[in-house]
Amino acid sequence: MAQILAPSTQWQMRVPKSSTFGSPIATKMWSSLLLKQNMKGAAKSAGKFRVLALHSENSTVNRTEKLLNMDITPYTDKIIAEYIWIGGTGIDMRSKSRTISKPVEHPSELPKWNYDGSSTGQAPGEDSEVILYPQAIFKDPFRGGNNILVICDAYTPAGEPIPTNKRHKAAEIFSNKKVVDEVPWFGIEQEYTLLQQNVKWPLGWPVGGYPGPQGPYYCGAGADKSFGRDISDAHYKACLYAGINISGTNGEVMPGQWEYQVGPSVGIEAGDHIWCSRYILERITEQAGVVLSLDPKPIEGDWNGAGCHTNYSTKSMREEGGFEVIKKAILNLSLRHKEHISAYGEGNERRLTGKHETASINTFSWGVANRGCSIRVGRDTEKNGKGYLEDRRPASNMDPYVVTGLLAETTILYEPTLEAEALAAQKVALKV
Amino acid sequence: MSLINDFIKFNLNETTRKSIAEYLWIGGSGMDLRSKARTLPEPVTDPAKLPLWNFDGSSTDQAPGDDSEVILLPQAIFRDPFRGGSNILVMCDTYTPAGDPIPTNKRFSADKIFNHPDVAAEEPWFGIEQEYTLLQKDTKWPLGWPVGGFPGPQGPYYCGVGADKSFGRDIVDAHYKACLYAGINISGINGEVMPAQWEFQVGPATGISAGDQLWVARYILERITEIAGVVLSFDPKPIPGDWNGAGAHTNYSTKSMRNDGGIDVIRKAIEKLGLRHEQHIAAYGEGNDRRLTGRHETADINSFSWGVANRGASIRVGRDTEKAGKGYFEDRRPASNMDPYVVTSMIAETTILWKP
């Protein structure tokens, strides 16, 4: 639940760099998570990655690691591109890789591909091909070298976006001139829970029981308060390497729960960066033997849920007089509460109860520095008369394309009638 | 065991011109790979310059004890990803001392077919999708499956990611880079529908090279699973019941198919394949009847069918090919334990040489 790290005045002047590759990091060394390789004479060279290799019992020397870490650039120009897409449930990520003849700079240089949609609930068996359109490139932190991760969206062979492709509509909204002119910035706070494999009980919790009540865990340190920090830290560096705009991380209120923030990102980038960061996180938990959960209320009872608070601002909000623009935006949001809520994640009703720092799912509210509201405006923003707002309603399993697109649409494109506006203004105690 | 590690990592090139050649061949079952190594006085890049060798055929079911020598003829060279440096892997085929191919040598007749002028003129391309299953060493139960039980039903595993959906990725990724290093034309990988099942694709490769590259890729995979302490299975239906089998779908095209008007050449080729369905099926892998049931994205073994984008047919033609009027088609019948020399040469023979 940390705020987006945004040094206030400098932030407003600088347009965030939307690079397809992050700035290359000179010495890219980060140690493997659990398996400590204490091999004497193991070569330590700059530009080498150490990833978790399978533990071998029958061989004295584990050489899979050497192959995984091999830098193939001296032997071939070819690179490996991992194409990533969202599957049939709207939250499952899928990927497969292919060899590309030489390094590429831009997604338009990559070929379209296809996959078996009948195996992901996205097409029938007798007409199974679903086409992948490359949309964003990131450096591959697992393979190193010039290898890449490619975020794609899915189309029918005829060129229509398939029903689970939410990026297409978001891209349309973000191409609308009015939206482009407002330069919408997003900072998304992704919370997630780590579960022990096989039992699916949170990491660090005693199986068959519960840890001490919430209190000591938020941003805590110590073996009895922080469970799984290596995953969060490895993820942080991996995302920075990949070129994802990750801005921070912290331990959350519920033990075994973590958060990282991505932003500020402009427009459609926010969605691309969040999905790629989710993929990298699931690859890391896969290596660590831990299960990633994006469920909004993983444990019933007196335990926090997991959200995906979305911080948002437009050019007008960031300039002088922006606070009035923010209030108008909140007004619009109040008139479309139901549309937003239904698109903010499955199972959110188990999380938005009005307790545990949430607002009740049925009522729309806003407030300055109020964590029990639907929308929170920071004290800085109120004091400066300009800034941003935080929509606290989205669940951790929300689709960032949907949420960011809706926020832009409702606050920039949607025009309520004057009477509706007046009624709403009364309801949420806003003078606009 | 740091001393052993130091020796394995020795770069021989610093002290000697000698290099090590690992000779590979296919054993008596037609599916088991064998290898042994010898020292060469200096690095070699041309198979014709490598010496012939021999092995004890009576230990691999390929010769009787009283006349046991089987000759190894080097056919293709690849860089050795395990030894590095100038060391090589050498794919060989097997002959009697008199110079005749032994019965398990399927490469010989495949080579003859690919050298036939009509076939050579058509430049047949192959892209082979090799599926395989990883098994836990002592129980022979699939990797990641609870011993004595089953994981959740198929659905989340195809191209999946996460500790509860993807079992054994390190092996697959290590194999990808090792093959690229070796010089094999590996074109991609993906996690398969059944958990612990994976696929890699080799191609496009022309003619006999498809078989050579696939066999060496299989060898490299088995060496990597050996390191990882996991068992590799090419069985076409490793787990009976509602679990996918493992195939080796073979994508194929000729020069005529890739040129304008190719779609008609493709249709004729598919018709010819339909007329020889039984002969092909008999050569497409042992145990394929357990896999080709008509369910789990297969066509029934007894009937021949084809369709565009249809994964339940014997032959699938991609939508791209249909739209462009030229391209390639996919024979989905071969099992994961097929011999690529047999399958590739048979497809070429039936579609180019055979007259109904």
Side-chain angles (χ1 to χ4, degrees):
Chain A
M1 290 174 358
Q3 298 142 340
I4 292 294
L5 301 180
S8 40
T9 40
Q10 298 155 300
W11 206 52
Q12 290 154 16
M13 292 303 116
R14 187 168 38 107
V15 177
K17 196 159 64 163
S18 61
S19 50
T20 43
F21 281 168
S23 36
I25 298 176
T27 39
K28 306 166 229 161
M29 190 138 176
W30 49 289
S31 0
S32 65
L33 290 165
L34 302 176
L35 196 61
K36 280 233 137 80
Q37 295 285 342
N38 280 320
M39 307 207 303
K40 267 168 77 163
K44 253 198 221 178
S45 58
K48 255 212 149 152
F49 287 83
R50 318 225 319 262
V51 295
L52 181 70
L54 278 181
H55 176 62
S56 162
E57 279 148 356
N58 71 340
S59 135
T60 46
V61 176
N62 194 321
R63 283 166 282 145
T64 314
E65 198 189 13
K66 184 176 125 197
L67 288 170
L68 279 170
N69 294 333
M70 177 162 44
D71 181 10
I72 53 175
T73 45
Y75 308 105
T76 173
D77 278 340
K78 295 179 181 179
I79 64 162
I80 305 173
E82 186 91 32
Y83 279 52
I84 300 167
W85 73 94
I86 300 159
T89 67
I91 190 77
D92 56 315
M93 305 204 71
R94 309 278 181 154
S95 76
K96 55 174 181 159
S97 19
R98 69 185 292 180
T99 308
I100 304 288
S101 50
K102 56 185 182 23
V104 297
E105 298 277 314
H106 198 266
S108 57
E109 298 175 65
L110 287 166
K112 295 194 170 81
W113 205 7
N114 65 72
Y115 68 94
D116 173 11
S118 68
S119 287
T120 59
Q122 292 171 301
E126 64 275 9
D127 187 11
S128 59
E129 277 175 31
V130 178
I131 317 299
L132 291 169
Y133 287 29
Q135 298 289 4
I137 291 181
F138 299 90
K139 282 163 72 86
D140 185 336
F142 306 101
R143 293 199 176 103
N146 292 321
N147 305 305
I148 54 177
L149 304 176
V150 187
I151 294 291
C152 307
D153 61 347
Y155 295 78
T156 63
E160 300 294 314
I162 66 173
T164 49
N165 177 353
K166 307 296 180 193
R167 191 190 191 278
H168 186 81
K169 172 140 190 267
E172 276 177 2
I173 292 173
F174 287 118
S175 316
N176 182 308
K177 183 164 189 323
K178 277 172 117 179
V179 177
V180 173
D181 288 343
E182 280 290 356
V183 191
W185 284 8
F186 297 95
I188 300 180
E189 307 168 29
Q190 174 75 66
E191 294 180 339
Y192 62 91
T193 315
L194 298 173
L195 308 176
Q196 304 170 41
Q197 212 176 8
N198 300 337
V199 292
K200 301 281 172 71
W201 200 232
L203 190 66
W205 293 35
V207 175
Y210 294 82
Q214 297 185 151
Y217 311 110
Y218 171 70
C219 299
D224 50 346
K225 285 162 258 152
S226 173
F227 309 131
R229 186 189 299 275
D230 275 356
I231 288 169
S232 172
D233 273 356
H235 179 246
Y236 202 160
K237 283 191 175 174
C239 284
L240 282 174
Y241 171 84
I244 289 172
N245 207 352
I246 185 168
S247 39
T249 168
N250 63 274
E252 268 302 330
V253 176
M254 181 177 117
Q257 203 170 73
W258 292 84
E259 170 181 315
Y260 65 93
Q261 307 97 32
V262 173
S265 318
V266 183
I268 195 75
E269 245 182 41
D272 291 336
H273 282 225
I274 281 284
W275 277 114
C276 194
S277 68
R278 285 175 175 178
Y279 175 79
I280 291 176
L281 182 58
E282 188 132 48
R283 285 287 299 272
I284 289 174
T285 53
E286 180 190 301
Q287 287 181 0
V290 156
V291 173
L292 172 68
S293 170
L294 292 180
D295 187 273
K297 190 78 175 181
I299 307 291
E300 292 296 317
D302 205 1
W303 304 98
N304 272 30
C308 214
H309 306 155
T310 302
N311 299 276
Y312 170 63
S313 70
T314 59
K315 190 143 155 274
S316 318
M317 294 180 194
R318 299 189 287 270
E319 292 170 348
E320 291 302 318
F323 196 43
E324 295 305 308
V325 183
I326 291 176
K327 285 199 264 184
K328 171 81 170 68
I330 294 177
L331 203 72
N332 283 18
L333 287 167
S334 73
L335 288 166
R336 287 186 108 202
H337 179 67
K338 283 211 181 61
E339 287 86 340
H340 277 244
I341 278 289
S342 64
Y344 273 13
E346 288 298 310
N348 213 3
E349 66 281 358
R350 289 181 282 122
R351 167 185 160 255
L352 293 180
T353 57
K355 295 162 69 208
H356 301 112
E357 299 168 286
T358 68
S360 167
I361 195 168
N362 297 311
T363 47
F364 180 90
S365 57
W366 79 281
V368 175
N370 186 340
R371 279 180 159 75
C373 281
S374 317
I375 308 271
R376 170 177 149 271
V377 174
R379 289 221 174 275
D380 287 353
T381 298
E382 189 193 32
K383 192 156 64 150
N384 297 332
K386 54 188 173 177
Y388 63 97
L389 59 88
E390 177 191 16
D391 189 342
R392 295 176 63 80
R393 298 171 291 173
S396 43
N397 59 356
M398 63 85 150
D399 185 330
Y401 295 130
V402 171
V403 170
T404 57
L406 253 187
L407 277 169
E409 190 183 57
T410 298
T411 59
I412 302 174
L413 300 176
Y414 169 66
E415 312 266 332
T417 63
L418 285 170
E419 306 137 32
E421 243 188 38
L423 271 171
Q426 265 183 356
K427 236 175 131 190
V428 292
L430 268 174
K431 266 187 303 217
V432 180
Chain B
M1 306 259 32
S2 56
L3 273 181
I4 296 185
N5 192 28
D6 290 340
F7 287 126
I8 290 185
K9 289 188 175 186
F10 254 179
N11 182 359
L12 291 175
N13 294 353
E14 291 169 11
T15 47
T16 170
R17 276 189 63 74
K18 295 182 180 174
S19 69
I20 305 174
E22 185 90 30
Y23 280 51
L24 276 56
W25 73 95
I26 301 160
S29 73
M31 196 55 203
D32 57 316
L33 275 160
R34 309 279 181 152
S35 75
K36 55 176 179 158
R38 68 185 292 177
T39 308
L40 302 172
E42 22 175 65
V44 176
T45 48
D46 180 1
K49 299 214 166 61
L50 284 166
L52 268 66
W53 207 8
N54 65 73
F55 68 94
D56 172 11
S58 68
S59 288
T60 61
D61 233 0
Q62 290 171 299
D66 53 2
D67 187 10
S68 63
E69 273 176 30
V70 178
I71 312 300
L72 289 169
L73 191 59
Q75 297 288 4
I77 289 182
F78 298 88
R79 269 194 296 261
D80 185 339
F82 307 100
R83 295 197 175 99
S86 53
N87 306 304
I88 53 177
L89 302 176
V90 185
M91 188 66 209
C92 307
D93 62 345
T94 47
Y95 296 80
T96 64
D100 301 311
I102 66 173
T104 51
N105 179 352
K106 307 295 178 192
R107 190 187 192 281
F108 187 79
S109 38
D111 204 22
K112 283 211 328 227
I113 291 173
F114 285 121
N115 284 330
H116 189 292
D118 292 346
V119 176
E122 280 288 1
E123 282 174 43
W125 286 4
F126 298 94
I128 304 179
E129 306 168 31
Q130 175 73 66
E131 293 179 343
Y132 60 92
T133 316
L134 298 172
L135 309 176
Q136 303 172 39
K137 190 162 85 98
D138 300 319
T139 55
K140 299 288 171 61
W141 199 230
L143 189 67
W145 293 35
V147 175
F150 294 84
Q154 295 184 152
Y157 311 109
Y158 170 72
C159 299
V161 60
D164 50 347
K165 284 159 267 166
S166 172
F167 309 130
R169 187 189 297 273
D170 277 353
I171 288 170
V172 191
D173 271 353
H175 180 247
Y176 201 162
K177 282 192 174 176
C179 286
L180 280 174
Y181 172 87
I184 290 173
N185 205 354
I186 183 167
S187 40
I189 59 170
N190 63 272
E192 267 304 329
V193 177
M194 181 176 115
Q197 204 171 72
W198 293 86
E199 169 181 316
F200 65 91
Q201 306 98 32
V202 170
T206 312
I208 197 74
S209 174
D212 291 334
Q213 289 191 44
L214 191 70
W215 274 114
V216 179
R218 285 175 172 179
Y219 174 79
I220 292 176
L221 182 58
E222 188 128 49
R223 284 287 300 272
I224 290 176
T225 53
E226 178 189 304
I227 295 173
V230 156
V231 171
L232 173 65
S233 169
F234 286 119
D235 188 274
K237 190 78 173 181
I239 307 290
D242 204 2
W243 303 99
N244 272 31
H249 305 156
T250 303
N251 298 277
Y252 170 68
S253 70
T254 59
K255 195 143 146 239
S256 317
M257 294 179 196
R258 298 189 287 272
N259 290 337
D260 286 325
I263 191 81
D264 294 316
V265 183
I266 289 175
R267 283 211 192 89
K268 286 207 190 65
I270 294 178
E271 271 167 31
K272 287 211 242 176
L273 287 167
L275 292 168
R276 283 190 105 200
H277 178 67
E278 267 153 40
Q279 288 90 323
H280 277 246
I281 279 289
Y284 274 12
E286 288 298 312
N288 212 2
D289 48 313
R290 288 180 283 122
R291 167 185 160 254
L292 293 181
T293 57
R295 296 168 59 219
H296 301 113
E297 299 169 285
T298 68
D300 182 78
I301 195 170
N302 296 311
S303 49
F304 180 87
S305 59
W306 78 278
V308 176
N310 186 343
R311 281 179 157 78
S314 316
I315 307 264
R316 169 177 151 271
V317 174
R319 286 218 173 275
D320 287 353
T321 297
E322 185 193 45
K323 196 157 62 155
K326 55 186 173 179
Y328 66 96
F329 66 80
E330 176 193 14
D331 189 342
R332 295 175 62 81
R333 298 171 293 173
S336 44
N337 58 356
M338 62 84 152
D339 185 330
Y341 295 131
V342 170
V343 171
T344 56
S345 59
M346 207 174 192
I347 293 177
E349 187 187 49
T350 298
T351 57
I352 302 174
L353 299 176
W354 186 64
K355 313 251 177 275

